[in-house]
Short mmCIF file of all heavy atoms in Angstrom, two decimals:
data_model
loop_
_atom_site.label_atom_id
_atom_site.label_comp_id
_atom_site.label_asym_id
_atom_site.label_seq_id
_atom_site.Cartn_x
_atom_site.Cartn_y
_atom_site.Cartn_z
N ILE D 1 0.84 -1.20 0.00
CA ILE D 1 0.00 0.00 0.00
C ILE D 1 0.87 1.25 0.00
O ILE D 1 0.57 2.25 -0.66
CB ILE D 1 -0.96 -0.01 1.20
CG1 ILE D 1 -1.98 -1.16 1.06
CG2 ILE D 1 -1.69 1.32 1.34
CD1 ILE D 1 -2.89 -1.34 2.27
N LEU D 2 1.98 1.20 0.73
CA LEU D 2 2.89 2.33 0.82
C LEU D 2 3.91 2.37 -0.34
O LEU D 2 4.74 3.27 -0.39
CB LEU D 2 3.64 2.30 2.15
CG LEU D 2 2.84 2.73 3.38
CD1 LEU D 2 3.56 2.32 4.65
CD2 LEU D 2 2.61 4.23 3.37
N ARG D 3 3.84 1.38 -1.21
CA ARG D 3 4.79 1.26 -2.32
C ARG D 3 6.23 1.20 -1.79
O ARG D 3 7.13 1.86 -2.30
CB ARG D 3 4.63 2.42 -3.28
CG ARG D 3 3.41 2.37 -4.19
CD ARG D 3 3.69 1.65 -5.49
NE ARG D 3 4.83 2.25 -6.18
CZ ARG D 3 4.74 3.32 -6.97
NH1 ARG D 3 3.58 3.91 -7.20
NH2 ARG D 3 5.83 3.80 -7.56
N LEU D 4 6.45 0.39 -0.76
CA LEU D 4 7.78 0.24 -0.17
C LEU D 4 8.39 -1.13 -0.48
O LEU D 4 9.33 -1.55 0.18
CB LEU D 4 7.71 0.46 1.34
CG LEU D 4 7.47 1.90 1.81
CD1 LEU D 4 7.29 1.96 3.32
CD2 LEU D 4 8.61 2.81 1.37
N ILE D 5 7.83 -1.83 -1.44
CA ILE D 5 8.37 -3.12 -1.84
C ILE D 5 9.65 -2.91 -2.64
O ILE D 5 9.68 -2.14 -3.60
CB ILE D 5 7.35 -3.92 -2.67
CG1 ILE D 5 6.08 -4.18 -1.84
CG2 ILE D 5 7.95 -5.24 -3.15
CD1 ILE D 5 6.28 -5.01 -0.61
N GLN D 6 10.71 -3.59 -2.23
CA GLN D 6 12.01 -3.46 -2.90
C GLN D 6 12.32 -4.73 -3.70
O GLN D 6 11.88 -5.82 -3.34
CB GLN D 6 13.11 -3.23 -1.86
CG GLN D 6 12.92 -1.97 -1.03
CD GLN D 6 13.03 -0.71 -1.87
OE1 GLN D 6 13.86 -0.62 -2.76
NE2 GLN D 6 12.16 0.26 -1.60
N PRO D 7 13.11 -4.61 -4.78
CA PRO D 7 13.53 -5.80 -5.53
C PRO D 7 14.23 -6.80 -4.61
O PRO D 7 14.90 -6.37 -3.66
CB PRO D 7 14.50 -5.23 -6.57
CG PRO D 7 14.10 -3.79 -6.71
CD PRO D 7 13.64 -3.37 -5.35
N PRO D 8 14.00 -8.10 -4.82
CA PRO D 8 13.37 -8.71 -5.99
C PRO D 8 11.85 -8.74 -5.96
O PRO D 8 11.23 -9.38 -6.80
CB PRO D 8 13.93 -10.14 -5.95
CG PRO D 8 14.08 -10.43 -4.49
CD PRO D 8 14.53 -9.13 -3.88
N GLY D 9 11.24 -8.04 -4.98
CA GLY D 9 9.79 -8.01 -4.93
C GLY D 9 9.22 -6.96 -5.87
O GLY D 9 9.87 -5.97 -6.18
N ARG D 10 8.00 -7.20 -6.33
CA ARG D 10 7.32 -6.20 -7.16
C ARG D 10 5.81 -6.44 -7.10
O ARG D 10 5.35 -7.57 -6.88
CB ARG D 10 7.82 -6.24 -8.59
CG ARG D 10 7.35 -7.45 -9.40
CD ARG D 10 7.93 -7.46 -10.80
NE ARG D 10 7.37 -8.52 -11.61
CZ ARG D 10 7.99 -9.08 -12.64
NH1 ARG D 10 9.23 -8.70 -12.94
NH2 ARG D 10 7.41 -10.03 -13.35
N ILE D 11 5.07 -5.36 -7.28
CA ILE D 11 3.61 -5.45 -7.40
C ILE D 11 3.30 -5.82 -8.84
O ILE D 11 3.71 -5.12 -9.78
CB ILE D 11 2.95 -4.13 -6.99
CG1 ILE D 11 3.28 -3.80 -5.53
CG2 ILE D 11 1.44 -4.19 -7.20
CD1 ILE D 11 2.78 -2.44 -5.07
N GLU D 12 2.58 -6.90 -9.03
CA GLU D 12 2.36 -7.45 -10.37
C GLU D 12 1.32 -6.65 -11.14
O GLU D 12 0.42 -6.02 -10.55
CB GLU D 12 1.90 -8.92 -10.26
CG GLU D 12 2.92 -9.84 -9.63
CD GLU D 12 4.18 -9.97 -10.47
OE1 GLU D 12 4.07 -10.19 -11.70
OE2 GLU D 12 5.29 -9.84 -9.91
N PRO D 13 1.42 -6.65 -12.47
CA PRO D 13 0.42 -5.98 -13.32
C PRO D 13 -0.99 -6.51 -13.02
O PRO D 13 -1.18 -7.70 -12.75
CB PRO D 13 0.86 -6.35 -14.74
CG PRO D 13 2.33 -6.63 -14.62
CD PRO D 13 2.51 -7.25 -13.28
N GLY D 14 -1.95 -5.62 -13.07
CA GLY D 14 -3.34 -5.97 -12.77
C GLY D 14 -3.74 -5.67 -11.34
O GLY D 14 -4.93 -5.63 -11.04
N SER D 15 -2.76 -5.45 -10.46
CA SER D 15 -3.05 -5.07 -9.08
C SER D 15 -3.48 -3.60 -9.04
O SER D 15 -2.94 -2.77 -9.78
CB SER D 15 -1.81 -5.25 -8.20
OG SER D 15 -1.31 -6.57 -8.28
N ARG D 16 -4.42 -3.27 -8.16
CA ARG D 16 -4.85 -1.89 -7.99
C ARG D 16 -4.95 -1.56 -6.50
O ARG D 16 -5.45 -2.37 -5.71
CB ARG D 16 -6.20 -1.62 -8.66
CG ARG D 16 -6.13 -1.59 -10.18
CD ARG D 16 -7.46 -1.20 -10.79
NE ARG D 16 -7.84 0.17 -10.47
CZ ARG D 16 -7.42 1.25 -11.13
NH1 ARG D 16 -6.59 1.11 -12.15
NH2 ARG D 16 -7.82 2.46 -10.79
N ILE D 17 -4.46 -0.38 -6.14
CA ILE D 17 -4.62 0.14 -4.79
C ILE D 17 -5.16 1.55 -4.93
O ILE D 17 -4.40 2.49 -5.20
CB ILE D 17 -3.29 0.15 -4.01
CG1 ILE D 17 -2.67 -1.25 -3.99
CG2 ILE D 17 -3.51 0.66 -2.58
CD1 ILE D 17 -1.25 -1.28 -3.43
N GLU D 18 -6.47 1.70 -4.83
CA GLU D 18 -7.11 2.99 -5.05
C GLU D 18 -7.22 3.74 -3.72
O GLU D 18 -7.74 3.21 -2.74
CB GLU D 18 -8.48 2.80 -5.68
CG GLU D 18 -8.41 2.17 -7.07
CD GLU D 18 -9.78 1.92 -7.68
OE1 GLU D 18 -10.78 2.26 -7.01
OE2 GLU D 18 -9.84 1.37 -8.79
N PHE D 19 -6.72 4.97 -3.70
CA PHE D 19 -6.73 5.80 -2.49
C PHE D 19 -7.08 7.23 -2.87
O PHE D 19 -6.38 7.83 -3.69
CB PHE D 19 -5.35 5.75 -1.81
CG PHE D 19 -5.21 6.70 -0.64
CD1 PHE D 19 -5.82 6.43 0.57
CD2 PHE D 19 -4.47 7.87 -0.77
CE1 PHE D 19 -5.71 7.30 1.63
CE2 PHE D 19 -4.34 8.74 0.29
CZ PHE D 19 -4.97 8.47 1.50
N GLU D 20 -8.18 7.71 -2.33
CA GLU D 20 -8.64 9.07 -2.62
C GLU D 20 -8.68 9.35 -4.12
O GLU D 20 -8.25 10.39 -4.61
CB GLU D 20 -7.76 10.10 -1.90
CG GLU D 20 -7.87 10.02 -0.37
CD GLU D 20 -7.09 11.11 0.34
OE1 GLU D 20 -6.08 11.59 -0.22
OE2 GLU D 20 -7.49 11.49 1.46
N GLY D 21 -9.19 8.36 -4.85
CA GLY D 21 -9.37 8.52 -6.29
C GLY D 21 -8.15 8.28 -7.14
O GLY D 21 -8.21 8.44 -8.37
N LYS D 22 -7.03 7.88 -6.54
CA LYS D 22 -5.81 7.63 -7.29
C LYS D 22 -5.40 6.17 -7.16
O LYS D 22 -5.57 5.57 -6.10
CB LYS D 22 -4.67 8.52 -6.80
CG LYS D 22 -4.92 10.01 -6.96
CD LYS D 22 -3.75 10.81 -6.43
CE LYS D 22 -3.97 12.31 -6.61
NZ LYS D 22 -2.83 13.11 -6.06
N ASP D 23 -4.85 5.62 -8.24
CA ASP D 23 -4.29 4.27 -8.20
C ASP D 23 -2.83 4.38 -7.79
O ASP D 23 -1.98 4.81 -8.57
CB ASP D 23 -4.43 3.59 -9.55
CG ASP D 23 -3.82 2.19 -9.56
OD1 ASP D 23 -3.65 1.61 -8.46
OD2 ASP D 23 -3.51 1.68 -10.65
N LEU D 24 -2.53 3.99 -6.55
CA LEU D 24 -1.17 4.14 -6.03
C LEU D 24 -0.15 3.32 -6.80
O LEU D 24 1.03 3.69 -6.85
CB LEU D 24 -1.14 3.75 -4.54
CG LEU D 24 -2.05 4.54 -3.60
CD1 LEU D 24 -1.81 4.11 -2.15
CD2 LEU D 24 -1.85 6.04 -3.75
N VAL D 25 -0.58 2.22 -7.39
CA VAL D 25 0.35 1.35 -8.12
C VAL D 25 0.94 2.06 -9.33
O VAL D 25 2.11 1.87 -9.67
CB VAL D 25 -0.34 0.04 -8.54
CG1 VAL D 25 0.60 -0.84 -9.37
CG2 VAL D 25 -0.83 -0.73 -7.32
N SER D 26 0.14 2.90 -9.97
CA SER D 26 0.58 3.53 -11.22
C SER D 26 1.19 4.92 -11.01
O SER D 26 1.66 5.54 -11.98
CB SER D 26 -0.60 3.65 -12.19
OG SER D 26 -1.62 4.47 -11.64
N LEU D 27 1.23 5.43 -9.77
CA LEU D 27 1.77 6.76 -9.53
C LEU D 27 3.29 6.79 -9.70
O LEU D 27 3.98 5.80 -9.44
CB LEU D 27 1.43 7.23 -8.12
CG LEU D 27 -0.03 7.58 -7.81
CD1 LEU D 27 -0.15 8.14 -6.41
CD2 LEU D 27 -0.60 8.57 -8.82
N GLY D 28 3.81 7.95 -10.10
CA GLY D 28 5.26 8.13 -10.18
C GLY D 28 5.87 8.26 -8.80
O GLY D 28 5.17 8.45 -7.80
N ASP D 29 7.20 8.18 -8.74
CA ASP D 29 7.90 8.20 -7.46
C ASP D 29 7.64 9.49 -6.68
O ASP D 29 7.46 9.46 -5.46
CB ASP D 29 9.41 8.03 -7.69
CG ASP D 29 9.76 6.64 -8.19
OD1 ASP D 29 8.91 5.74 -8.04
OD2 ASP D 29 10.87 6.46 -8.71
N GLU D 30 7.63 10.63 -7.37
CA GLU D 30 7.42 11.91 -6.69
C GLU D 30 6.02 11.98 -6.10
O GLU D 30 5.82 12.44 -4.95
CB GLU D 30 7.63 13.07 -7.67
CG GLU D 30 7.62 14.43 -7.01
CD GLU D 30 8.76 14.62 -6.02
OE1 GLU D 30 9.84 14.01 -6.22
OE2 GLU D 30 8.55 15.35 -5.02
N GLU D 31 5.02 11.51 -6.84
CA GLU D 31 3.64 11.55 -6.35
C GLU D 31 3.46 10.65 -5.14
O GLU D 31 2.80 11.02 -4.16
CB GLU D 31 2.69 11.13 -7.46
CG GLU D 31 2.57 12.11 -8.60
CD GLU D 31 1.67 11.57 -9.69
OE1 GLU D 31 2.12 10.67 -10.45
OE2 GLU D 31 0.52 12.04 -9.81
N ILE D 32 4.04 9.45 -5.17
CA ILE D 32 3.86 8.53 -4.05
C ILE D 32 4.61 9.02 -2.82
O ILE D 32 4.16 8.83 -1.69
CB ILE D 32 4.29 7.08 -4.43
CG1 ILE D 32 3.70 6.07 -3.43
CG2 ILE D 32 5.79 6.94 -4.49
CD1 ILE D 32 2.22 5.95 -3.47
N ARG D 33 5.73 9.71 -3.01
CA ARG D 33 6.45 10.28 -1.87
C ARG D 33 5.62 11.36 -1.18
O ARG D 33 5.69 11.52 0.04
CB ARG D 33 7.80 10.84 -2.31
CG ARG D 33 8.91 9.80 -2.36
CD ARG D 33 10.28 10.45 -2.44
NE ARG D 33 10.46 11.18 -3.69
CZ ARG D 33 11.00 10.65 -4.79
NH1 ARG D 33 11.41 9.39 -4.78
NH2 ARG D 33 11.14 11.38 -5.88
N HIS D 34 4.85 12.10 -1.97
CA HIS D 34 4.00 13.14 -1.39
C HIS D 34 2.88 12.53 -0.55
O HIS D 34 2.50 13.07 0.50
CB HIS D 34 3.39 14.00 -2.50
CG HIS D 34 2.42 15.04 -2.00
ND1 HIS D 34 2.84 16.16 -1.33
CD2 HIS D 34 1.06 15.09 -2.05
CE1 HIS D 34 1.78 16.89 -0.99
NE2 HIS D 34 0.69 16.26 -1.41
N ILE D 35 2.36 11.39 -0.99
CA ILE D 35 1.28 10.73 -0.25
C ILE D 35 1.83 10.01 0.98
O ILE D 35 1.24 10.08 2.07
CB ILE D 35 0.54 9.74 -1.17
CG1 ILE D 35 -0.25 10.51 -2.24
CG2 ILE D 35 -0.38 8.81 -0.38
CD1 ILE D 35 -0.87 9.64 -3.30
N ARG D 36 2.96 9.35 0.83
CA ARG D 36 3.56 8.58 1.91
C ARG D 36 4.06 9.52 3.01
O ARG D 36 4.88 10.38 2.77
CB ARG D 36 4.71 7.74 1.36
CG ARG D 36 5.27 6.72 2.32
CD ARG D 36 6.55 6.13 1.77
NE ARG D 36 6.38 5.50 0.47
CZ ARG D 36 7.21 5.64 -0.55
NH1 ARG D 36 8.26 6.44 -0.46
NH2 ARG D 36 6.99 5.01 -1.69
N GLY D 37 3.56 9.35 4.21
CA GLY D 37 3.95 10.20 5.33
C GLY D 37 3.06 11.42 5.48
O GLY D 37 3.03 12.04 6.55
N ASN D 38 2.35 11.75 4.42
CA ASN D 38 1.46 12.91 4.45
C ASN D 38 0.00 12.46 4.56
O ASN D 38 -0.68 12.79 5.53
CB ASN D 38 1.67 13.75 3.18
CG ASN D 38 0.95 15.08 3.24
OD1 ASN D 38 0.38 15.44 4.25
ND2 ASN D 38 0.97 15.81 2.14
N ARG D 39 -0.46 11.69 3.57
CA ARG D 39 -1.84 11.19 3.58
C ARG D 39 -1.93 9.77 4.12
O ARG D 39 -2.96 9.35 4.60
CB ARG D 39 -2.43 11.25 2.16
CG ARG D 39 -2.46 12.63 1.55
CD ARG D 39 -3.33 13.58 2.38
NE ARG D 39 -4.73 13.12 2.40
CZ ARG D 39 -5.55 13.35 3.41
NH1 ARG D 39 -5.13 13.99 4.48
NH2 ARG D 39 -6.80 12.93 3.35
N ILE D 40 -0.86 8.99 3.97
CA ILE D 40 -0.79 7.64 4.54
C ILE D 40 0.49 7.55 5.34
O ILE D 40 1.57 7.90 4.85
CB ILE D 40 -0.78 6.55 3.45
CG1 ILE D 40 -1.98 6.67 2.51
CG2 ILE D 40 -0.77 5.16 4.09
CD1 ILE D 40 -1.95 5.69 1.35
N SER D 41 0.40 7.08 6.57
CA SER D 41 1.61 6.91 7.39
C SER D 41 1.58 5.53 8.04
O SER D 41 0.57 4.84 8.01
CB SER D 41 1.71 8.00 8.46
OG SER D 41 0.59 7.97 9.31
#
């Protein structure tokens, strides 16, 4: 949910994590950093 999975782990295609209208899986690194610690902790 926090997009903190590190290699060799990965979230597989077809997975969705919808939060406040956004799919966290498809967000860029900058966008997820803004959410992490701010909107989700």
Side-chain angles (χ1 to χ4, degrees):
I1 294 174
L2 284 166
R3 285 270 305 276
L4 289 174
I5 299 297
Q6 299 295 321
R10 73 183 187 206
I11 299 174
E12 297 296 312
S15 305
R16 288 185 65 84
I17 304 171
E18 297 178 1
F19 173 75
E20 295 184 332
K22 298 179 179 179
D23 178 20
L24 301 185
V25 177
S26 62
L27 290 185
D29 292 343
E30 188 64 30
E31 291 177 285
I32 197 67
R33 275 195 295 267
H34 176 73
I35 291 173
R36 189 190 302 136
N38 189 6
R39 301 299 297 150
I40 304 175
S41 60

